Amino acid sequence: MDEIGKFIAENPTAAVIAAGEAGFWVLIAAGLAVRYGLRARRTSAVLLALVPLIDVVVLVAATADLAGGAKANSTHGLAAVYLGFSVVFGPSLVRWADVRFAHRFAGGPAPPKREGKERLHHEWREFAKCLLACGIAAAALLAAIFAIGTPEQVAPLWDWFPRLGAVSAIWLVTGPVWEELSGTRAKVRR
């Protein structure tokens, strides 16, 4: 436990990111619980509309930390990645959770099962969203690199570009390429 406390003391941005991720899911759960449990759609809409503010808080905290003279580390890069993926995938995560809450608690239809070409199309669309999220993260990293710090201060942020490439490559192989190959095998077996 002392190691976690020490890490957070040395990397306050990591605490903000962790709190942001927790807050993201708490606001979604609260918004949907209010929508389906209390049947308060307006209150639910307000709670769900607050979700993007978490991204702003994380971004402001990381930027303020760097602007205050902190040497960039992996958590500052993670803040940029969190921003990119949260902006791009946040709305679809809310819709995903909403469909499941509606089915479970309000008698809504079951979530659709994607198969065949629809599944393949979904995988390619999700991969495109991954590329967009990586692009936003890269733009945020470049903004921090060129606008905020000295080269020595922001040098660790450059390490995130190969990581973004690796995430994209892994997503490509485990998403649409895997679906292409497994879908083809399933057609051959039939």
Side-chain angles (χ1 to χ4, degrees):
M1 241 4 211
D2 290 338
E3 291 177 25
I4 293 172
K6 182 180 176 185
F7 177 78
I8 290 174
E10 292 173 358
N11 301 290
T13 305
V16 173
I17 294 169
E21 182 65 15
F24 175 84
W25 288 106
V26 166
L27 279 176
I28 290 175
L32 296 174
V34 167
R35 174 176 291 173
Y36 296 110
L38 301 177
R39 308 253 188 251
R41 291 190 75 69
R42 283 188 181 166
T43 304
S44 171
V46 169
L47 288 170
L48 293 173
L50 291 174
V51 170
L53 289 178
I54 292 171
D55 299 333
V56 173
V57 169
V58 170
L59 181 62
V60 167
T63 303
D65 194 32
L66 288 173
K71 185 175 193 292
N73 58 35
S74 61
T75 57
H76 293 96
L78 183 59
V81 174
Y82 176 84
L83 172 72
F85 277 80
S86 183
V87 165
V88 173
F89 286 96
S92 59
L93 281 171
V94 170
R95 284 189 301 275
W96 176 88
D98 189 30
V99 167
R100 280 144 184 83
F101 259 76
H103 175 64
R104 178 88 167 117
F105 300 110
K113 292 192 184 243
R114 294 183 180 94
E115 295 178 332
K117 288 185 179 184
E118 183 184 1
R119 174 82 181 163
L120 181 60
H121 178 72
H122 170 76
E123 291 297 335
W124 280 109
R125 185 176 59 244
E126 293 298 297
F127 175 66
K129 288 167 58 176
C130 169
L131 293 178
L132 178 59
C134 287
I136 292 170
L141 287 165
L142 287 172
I145 288 168
F146 291 114
I148 294 173
T150 64
E152 301 81 30
Q153 183 186 11
V154 296
L157 296 180
W158 288 105
D159 296 340
W160 279 93
F161 292 97
R163 292 174 186 166
L164 292 172
V167 166
S168 298
I170 291 168
W171 197 302
L172 174 65
V173 171
T174 62
V177 170
W178 179 264
E179 188 60 34
E180 285 272 7
L181 296 175
S182 65
T184 303
R185 280 189 297 219
K187 290 177 189 173
V188 170
R189 284 187 217 151
R190 289 183 188 166

